[in-house]
Amino acid sequence: AAALAKGQAWLQRVSHIAKPASGVAASCIHHLYMSQAVPHMLYRAELFLPPPDLRNPTKVPVTFLPLRSIQWKAALLITGGLHSSPYDALDLLADLLSFHLLVSRMQWQALLRYCTLPVSHPLASFVQKAVSYQCLHVHNSPLHLLFEAFPLHPKHIEMITVARYTPSWSPPFTVQIAKDTCSAIIQDANDASDIVIYTDGSGFKNKIGASVVLYHRGRRVDSLCYQLGRDSAYAVYNAESLGLVLGARLL
């Protein structure tokens, strides 16, 4: 009821400016619907709307019908169509997903956020319990139903630890970034350090790797290279970190 009231309130406000002859452009109404109406109307849709039925993905649950009428009226404002126009045709002309697919996308995104919660988060323990005890015969929570409907699992999500520092922190090293290639070459030529280490990590031909070269007083002394694996398992972020490790080893 609250979600329906939010959608009706949005329609009431926007209908004053969405007149075909003297109103705003259809693209603006489309943008307002996707950026304002949908997030407010479907806030926490994973908790009060049922997930899609994988056995019949085109079936629209009965609980969707009142909310789907909001999108139908929004599509009428965007296209200026007739009230006798069918739902599917209006969604197509207004460049909108079918309402049940829109809800499924938002539920997928919400479940993905739940799977990426850190262990310290208060909801992390509930997510782990829902994953461990799926397909219960009774007392299924919304999380149980979501994990049953979507092929997601927290252990399949790669977690990257974020480095946190206080606002007053300053690095113990100096960072200098050249404006362009010529400036970088000049800056490198003017460097009078005895030892210079060049590192690089990148991807090439679907592979991720890093390489390091050490120079001593302008003379190449040693080099290292290492291939991590395919880009489906590793990122350039891993290769850049590996380059620092290889550079420290050469040093």
Side-chain angles (χ1 to χ4, degrees):
L4 183 61
K6 292 177 182 179
Q8 291 173 344
W10 180 87
L11 283 173
Q12 186 177 5
R13 292 191 297 266
V14 175
S15 59
H16 297 289
I17 62 174
K19 298 179 180 179
S22 59
V24 299
S27 59
C28 296
I29 303 299
H30 181 277
H31 180 73
L32 285 174
Y33 175 73
M34 294 302 299
S35 62
Q36 297 295 325
V38 172
H40 286 80
M41 183 174 62
L42 298 181
Y43 179 71
R44 289 289 179 256
E46 70 276 9
L47 300 180
F48 65 88
L49 290 178
D53 186 2
L54 298 181
R55 293 170 296 183
N56 189 7
T58 59
K59 180 182 179 181
V60 179
V62 178
T63 53
F64 285 18
L65 298 181
L67 294 175
R68 188 175 68 167
S69 65
I70 300 295
Q71 176 161 309
W72 174 69
K73 294 177 182 178
L76 287 176
L77 295 177
I78 296 172
T79 60
L82 301 175
H83 283 74
S84 59
S85 303
Y87 287 89
D88 296 339
L90 282 176
D91 290 340
L92 180 63
L93 294 174
D95 193 20
L96 296 173
L97 276 176
S98 297
F99 188 75
H100 67 286
L101 297 179
L102 179 64
V103 173
S104 298
R105 186 180 69 176
M106 296 194 69
Q107 290 176 335
W108 170 277
Q109 293 172 347
L111 186 60
L112 187 61
R113 288 194 295 269
Y114 288 141
C115 291
T116 57
L117 293 177
V119 181
S120 59
H121 197 279
L123 295 179
S125 59
F126 295 96
V127 174
Q128 293 296 332
K129 290 179 182 179
V131 173
S132 303
Y133 300 98
Q134 294 186 29
C135 303
L136 298 178
H137 296 288
V138 293
H139 304 303
N140 279 311
S141 69
L143 280 175
H144 288 98
L145 299 177
L146 288 173
F147 278 113
E148 184 179 356
F150 297 109
L152 284 176
H153 199 286
K155 70 178 182 180
H156 298 153
I157 307 297
E158 180 184 4
M159 306 297 289
I160 299 177
T161 305
V162 180
R164 297 182 178 90
Y165 298 97
T166 61
S168 60
W169 178 83
S170 59
F173 48 83
T174 303
V175 178
Q176 296 180 356
I177 301 177
K179 296 181 179 180
D180 49 36
T181 305
C182 296
S183 300
I185 295 174
I186 295 174
Q187 182 178 337
D188 180 66
N190 296 332
D191 189 358
S193 302
D194 291 339
I195 297 177
V196 179
I197 300 176
Y198 300 93
T199 68
D200 184 37
S202 60
F204 182 68
K205 292 185 178 180
N206 300 327
K207 299 293 181 66
I208 300 294
S211 59
V212 179
V213 180
L214 184 145
Y215 281 82
H216 180 252
R217 294 181 179 177
R219 185 174 59 89
R220 178 173 175 175
V221 177
D222 202 354
S223 63
L224 285 176
C225 60
Y226 190 86
Q227 184 184 102
L228 286 172
R230 300 190 62 84
D231 55 2
S232 58
Y234 298 94
V236 178
Y237 173 84
N238 305 116
E240 296 288 355
S241 302
L242 176 62
L244 297 176
V245 175
L246 295 178
R249 180 174 180 178
L250 281 184
L251 186 61

